[in-house]
Amino acid sequence: MNAVFGAIPILFRHPSVYGLSRITSSLYISNGEAANNKLFLYGNQITTVINVSVEVVNTYFPDIYYIHVPVTDCPTSPLYDFFDPVADKIHSVELNQGRTLVHCVAGVSRSAALCIAYLMKYHSMSLVNAHTWVRSCRPIIRPNNGFWQQLIQYEQKLFGNTSVKMVQSPLGVIPDLYEHEIRVMIAL
């Protein structure tokens, strides 16, 4: 769906790293700059904004509910503690016909990990499939290794097994689904 507010494109058919990237009909991801863009928020009918950062200060717009998840993009940050509450909130907003935007600073690590956790919990997606889906919507996502470990733990809790494992690579420990990229990068 291509929504337009005036002459400014709000949502593109193709993945965007500058505006809002649509994950589901009620869930979007972006960076902090886009999350403070009134045209993006109102043009995409965002009703709830979840700020997963300590660096970005939101501009508060009327009729939008704001939630702050003060987590740094550090592998030791306890993002796992927010997987269930944030997923539950996204689901609740959807049930009330609203739309949620999850953002961090760049829309790459923290916000992506929370969107992936939501898809695992409420869409019964495996971690590998949830990551593949979110990455198809926003190609620049790349949760840090600590968040990967927490997502693997969360998948184990939800489903009793895991679809991703951490493996040793020439660049250190990485999720196994990045092994091919690392091999190609090293070959270059």
Side-chain angles (χ1 to χ4, degrees):
M1 180 167 87
N2 191 11
V4 176
F5 188 88
I8 301 172
I10 302 300
L11 177 65
F12 305 99
R13 284 187 193 278
H14 305 289
S16 171
V17 296
Y18 301 108
L20 277 54
S21 301
R22 186 176 186 170
I23 306 299
T24 70
S25 62
S26 65
L27 177 61
Y28 296 74
I29 184 175
S30 78
N31 62 27
E33 184 178 345
N36 282 305
N37 183 311
K38 185 176 184 178
L39 296 177
F40 286 157
L41 297 177
Y42 287 122
N44 288 291
Q45 302 167 344
I46 301 300
T47 58
T48 301
V49 172
I50 301 175
N51 177 350
V52 192
S53 75
V54 294
E55 305 91 340
V56 178
V57 176
N58 282 121
T59 303
Y60 290 86
F61 297 110
D63 302 320
I64 297 177
Y65 180 72
Y66 289 85
I67 297 171
H68 187 217
V69 178
V71 174
T72 60
D73 190 12
C74 175
T76 58
S77 292
L79 194 61
Y80 184 96
D81 295 346
F82 297 96
F83 288 167
D84 280 326
V86 168
D88 295 347
K89 182 62 179 177
I90 293 166
H91 183 65
S92 171
V93 168
E94 179 181 31
L95 291 177
N96 289 305
Q97 312 306 310
R99 291 183 177 177
T100 302
L101 169 65
V102 180
H103 77 87
C104 49
V105 174
V108 171
S109 184
R110 291 167 279 190
S111 56
L114 286 172
C115 289
I116 289 167
Y118 162 77
L119 291 174
M120 288 195 297
K121 183 171 185 177
Y122 282 101
H123 291 264
S124 300
M125 291 179 141
S126 66
L127 175 52
V128 71
N129 288 341
H131 172 267
T132 300
W133 179 258
V134 174
R135 194 169 185 190
S136 74
C137 300
R138 187 168 179 83
I140 63 170
I141 71 155
R142 195 170 191 102
N144 72 43
N145 280 350
F147 297 161
W148 269 108
Q149 291 169 336
Q150 293 172 56
L151 286 165
I152 291 167
Q153 181 184 357
Y154 191 60
E155 182 180 36
Q156 179 69 42
K157 173 190 154 190
L158 290 175
F159 306 120
N161 57 39
T162 61
S163 60
V164 176
K165 63 183 184 219
M166 301 301 284
V167 296
Q168 191 62 43
S169 82
L171 299 179
V173 177
I174 60 168
D176 60 357
L177 52 94
Y178 291 153
E179 281 183 296
H180 177 71
E181 290 177 23
I182 298 298
R183 277 191 235 123
V184 169
M185 190 172 74
I186 289 173
L188 296 176

